[in-house]
């Protein structure tokens, strides 16, 4: 596991964007695994700028997102499909038909989950997966639990995640309590993983991850099983670890 400490959030976002640029320039039809949340917003802003400047071309890129809330369709401003369109896809030269976010309103979520994994396999897997991390160590919506599920699946959200995500909603009762998420087995199949850590409130779970233990109580520790993980973290977080 490689750890890179950056001066601040801007430097971290730029570095992550450069890593994506290198991947896409080397392989123009890359499959990029993307994440939502406040952490990757800076990365997406940098990618938009690079695309405008002609430094990166998304015309042959495919994207696969980690997760979506159950019950929200893509027109809902709180949905992750809406977030991705609004924060990235609408501003770059990507073919929207090659941007995949699991559907939270599919009639049969189990079927949707199975098809999502099939789609990723058919695409030949994910070249680079971008990850954020929850304050409880979740990756995607793989919440701490006694068991973790390898493939894409439906899951309940923990109270800690509902509270953390309530900042994006008018009131906490509006936060969906279930989601569809790529499982850690599928995430670990990605050829390369970049974990971006923003916020000092993530220091405790990242400290545990860096200890090299593996526990389902902190799903991020599963990343210890992967050969090519780069962790980018702000200096102010690293000081607490
Ligand atoms: P954040 O969320 O980027 O908004 O901190 C990260 C996550 O919950 O995975």
């Amino acid at each position: 596991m490689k750890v890179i400490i950056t001066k601040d959030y801007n430097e971290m976002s730029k570095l992550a964007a450069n890593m994506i640029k290198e991947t896409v320039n080397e392989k123009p039809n890359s499959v990029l695994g993307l994440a939502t949340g406040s952490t990757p917003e800076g990365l997406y802003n940098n990618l938009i700028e690079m695309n405008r400047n002609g430094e990166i071309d998304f015309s042959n890129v495919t994207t696969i997102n980690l997760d979506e809330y159950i019950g929200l369709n893509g027109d809902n401003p709180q949905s992750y499909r809406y977030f991705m369109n609004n924060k990235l896809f609408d501003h770059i030269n990507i073919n929207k038909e090659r941007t995949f976010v699991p559907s939270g309103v599919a009639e049969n979520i189990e079927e949707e989950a199975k098809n999502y994994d099939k789609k990723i396999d058919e695409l030949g897997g994910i070249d680079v997966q971008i990850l954020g991390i929850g304050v409880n160590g979740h990756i995607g919506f793989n919440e701490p639990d006694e068991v973790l599920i390898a493939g894409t699946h439906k899951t309940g959200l923990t109270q800690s995640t509902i509270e953390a995500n309530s900042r994006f909603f008018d009131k906490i009762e509006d936060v969906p309590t279930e989601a569809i998420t790529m499982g850690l087995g599928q995430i670990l199949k990605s050829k390369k993983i970049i974990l971006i850590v923003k916020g000092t409130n993530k220091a405790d779970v990242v400290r545990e991850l860096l200890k090299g233990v593996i526990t389902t109580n902190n799903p991020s520790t599963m990343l210890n099983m992967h050969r090519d993980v780069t962790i980018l973290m702000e200096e102010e977080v690293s000081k607490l670890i």
Side-chain angles (χ1 to χ4, degrees):
M1 202 150 351
K2 190 169 158 193
V3 179
I4 302 176
I5 295 162
T6 63
K7 189 171 85 235
D8 55 21
Y9 178 68
N10 284 342
E11 189 181 287
M12 184 167 73
S13 302
K14 221 168 260 170
L15 196 60
N18 277 329
M19 291 168 85
I20 295 289
K21 183 171 85 171
E22 263 171 40
T23 303
V24 172
N25 286 349
E26 219 166 85
K27 185 183 173 197
N29 63 346
S30 287
V31 178
L32 303 179
L34 300 180
T36 51
S38 56
T39 303
E41 282 196 43
L43 156 65
Y44 297 155
N45 288 338
N46 276 279
L47 291 178
I48 291 167
E49 201 182 318
M50 286 172 171
N51 188 229
R52 284 203 185 120
N53 297 339
E55 293 172 59
I56 182 167
D57 175 17
F58 289 98
S59 60
N60 291 307
V61 165
T62 298
T63 65
I64 298 277
N65 260 80
L66 284 170
D67 46 16
E68 179 60 282
Y69 287 120
I70 297 284
L72 302 192
N73 71 36
D75 298 332
N76 187 314
Q78 309 293 356
S79 74
Y80 287 169
R81 160 54 77 181
Y82 189 97
F83 176 101
M84 289 309 301
N85 286 348
N86 187 35
K87 303 284 183 193
L88 182 65
F89 302 148
D90 286 344
H91 313 287
I92 58 174
N93 71 329
I94 198 160
N95 177 353
K96 278 254 188 81
E97 284 176 15
R98 279 211 293 272
T99 65
F100 298 96
V101 179
S103 168
V105 291
E107 224 164 83
N108 184 338
I109 292 288
E110 280 71 33
E111 198 65 26
E112 170 71 12
K114 223 187 281 165
N115 288 338
Y116 206 67
D117 284 334
K118 206 165 133 218
K119 164 69 65 193
I120 298 169
D121 289 343
E122 278 167 9
L123 287 165
I126 293 169
D127 291 299
V128 182
Q129 175 68 55
I130 296 289
L131 299 176
I133 183 170
V135 284
N136 63 0
H138 77 193
I139 295 288
F141 275 128
N142 293 280
E143 301 279 45
D145 207 339
E146 266 175 43
V147 293
L148 297 175
I149 296 167
T152 301
H153 60 281
K154 180 174 161 177
T155 181
L157 305 188
T158 60
Q159 192 56 29
S160 131
T161 294
I162 292 172
E163 280 164 19
N165 290 7
S166 65
R167 68 192 196 274
F168 300 113
F169 291 79
D170 288 340
K171 46 187 196 309
I172 194 161
E173 296 76 37
D174 294 344
V175 184
T177 55
E178 290 180 316
I180 174 169
T181 184
M182 217 189 268
L184 272 154
Q186 185 62 266
I187 292 167
L188 290 171
K189 282 194 212 165
S190 308
K191 287 161 203 146
K192 187 180 177 68
I193 293 176
I194 301 172
L195 172 67
I196 318 177
V197 184
K198 173 181 180 246
T200 49
N201 56 350
K202 314 281 177 65
D204 288 348
V205 281
V206 174
R207 188 180 309 114
E208 196 173 29
L209 158 65
L210 292 175
K211 266 193 207 153
V213 295
I214 296 174
T215 165
T216 59
N217 292 326
N218 176 349
S220 75
T221 61
M222 298 288 151
L223 298 177
N224 280 304
M225 293 194 286
H226 196 278
R227 292 174 184 278
D228 191 352
V229 178
T230 302
I231 303 179
L232 304 183
M233 111 175 58
E234 303 168 284
E235 193 175 41
E236 62 168 6
V237 180
S238 74
K239 280 186 184 152
L240 299 175
I241 290 177

